[in-house]
Amino acid sequence: GAVVSQHPSRVICKSGTSVKIECRSLDFQATTMFWYRQFPKQSLMLMATSNEGSKATYEQGVEKDKFLINHASLTLSTLTVTSAHPEDSSFYICSAVSSGAWDNEQFFGPGTRLTVL
Amino acid sequence: DQQVKQNSPSLSVQEGRISILNCDYTNSMFDYFLWYKKYPAEGPTFLISISSIKDKNEDGRFTVFLNKSAKHLSLHIVPSQPGDSAVYFCAASGSGGSNYKLTFGKGTLLTVNP
């Protein structure tokens, strides 16, 4: 089956530092990947759409200069949280759509728990 | 404005009985609906989906019903098993084709008691 991995699974950092999260599709190519954020007891909120070889599309209210997205290959997208602050602490989840998909099924990674001290 | 609503934050069911999880949506442009299951600190796992051209889709113990006029869908799990205990998210997307953006509800925590 389609597998999406995320690294790291958990990260704790000091306020003001930058953190990079990787999202990889392990057994399929993904022209489109998505980045979500989930606060406790809330729904997954789409942050941005990452398209291989082009700029990411950010949802309203998401600062593109703070959440840098790079989709350099068909199997890898990275999210960098720049100058992280405690309010950025959240569960970040990526998903990927297979290049050959005919429906809207997305495969989700296991998530990354970010804690900013 | 919440475009996908799951009004029940939690549901408790006895093992072997039916679990019914409900979801309402407001955006008429949504034409594809999905249910995901999620355990704590893990990513969502796809369960079942339905296109707006259908009113029912069945996969084993899971059946999704769609009522377009009411903008309502439900997930039925029969029979419920303790391993089904998790948070269930309803999600919707619109315009099919290359538009894969999903809008999620807040989820319903299902607890199946042995």
Side-chain angles (χ1 to χ4, degrees):
Chain A
V3 179
V4 176
S5 69
Q6 278 184 244
H7 177 79
S9 58
R10 184 183 295 266
V11 57
I12 301 172
C13 68
K14 292 182 178 179
S15 184
T17 60
S18 294
V19 175
K20 180 186 283 189
I21 303 170
E22 293 185 348
C23 176
R24 293 181 186 272
S25 55
L26 298 185
D27 49 2
F28 66 99
Q29 293 185 328
T31 51
T32 302
M33 290 183 173
F34 297 91
W35 286 96
Y36 295 85
R37 180 168 54 183
Q38 185 188 23
F39 292 108
K41 297 187 178 180
Q42 297 295 315
S43 64
L44 282 74
M45 298 299 295
L46 179 64
M47 298 175 66
T49 304
S50 171
N51 296 299
E52 187 267 338
S54 63
K55 289 184 178 180
T57 304
Y58 290 82
E59 295 301 299
Q60 193 173 13
V62 178
E63 301 174 57
K64 61 180 181 181
D65 294 330
K66 181 170 184 62
F67 299 99
L68 301 179
I69 292 173
N70 187 299
H71 194 153
S73 77
L74 286 172
T75 60
L76 173 64
S77 175
T78 60
L79 168 68
T80 301
V81 183
T82 62
S83 186
H85 291 285
E87 57 265 31
D88 298 323
S89 298
S90 186
F91 193 57
Y92 292 85
I93 306 174
C94 72
S95 70
V97 179
S98 172
S99 300
W102 58 270
D103 58 19
N104 297 33
E105 183 178 348
Q106 297 179 22
F107 300 98
F108 285 81
T112 297
R113 170 72 61 190
L114 170 64
T115 303
V116 184
L117 303 176
Chain B
D1 180 32
Q2 194 86 17
Q3 295 188 67
V4 177
K5 301 177 184 178
Q6 292 177 257
N7 292 319
S8 297
S10 64
L11 174 68
S12 185
V13 171
Q14 208 63 30
E15 181 179 6
R17 307 294 283 268
I18 184 171
S19 295
I20 300 176
L21 299 131
N22 293 303
C23 179
D24 298 290
Y25 62 97
T26 57
N27 191 336
S28 301
M29 299 303 292
F30 289 146
D31 62 3
Y32 199 81
F33 305 90
L34 308 90
W35 284 94
Y36 286 85
K37 178 179 178 181
K38 185 179 181 299
Y39 295 112
E42 292 185 10
T45 303
F46 171 76
L47 271 179
I48 193 169
S49 62
I50 188 167
S51 164
S52 61
I53 62 174
K54 295 185 176 181
D55 55 18
K56 177 183 175 181
N57 188 24
E58 193 172 351
D59 184 2
R61 296 186 298 115
F62 302 93
T63 303
V64 56
F65 295 92
L66 175 63
N67 183 333
K68 279 187 64 180
S69 60
K71 294 191 178 68
H72 176 84
L73 62 154
S74 61
L75 173 68
H76 292 211
I77 306 174
V78 181
S80 302
Q81 300 173 353
D84 295 330
S85 298
V87 177
Y88 288 79
F89 287 96
C90 170
S93 69
S95 304
S98 61
N99 182 0
Y100 300 113
K101 287 173 57 173
L102 294 179
T103 301
F104 283 85
K106 288 190 175 182
T108 297
L109 173 62
L110 173 65
T111 302
V112 181
N113 301 302

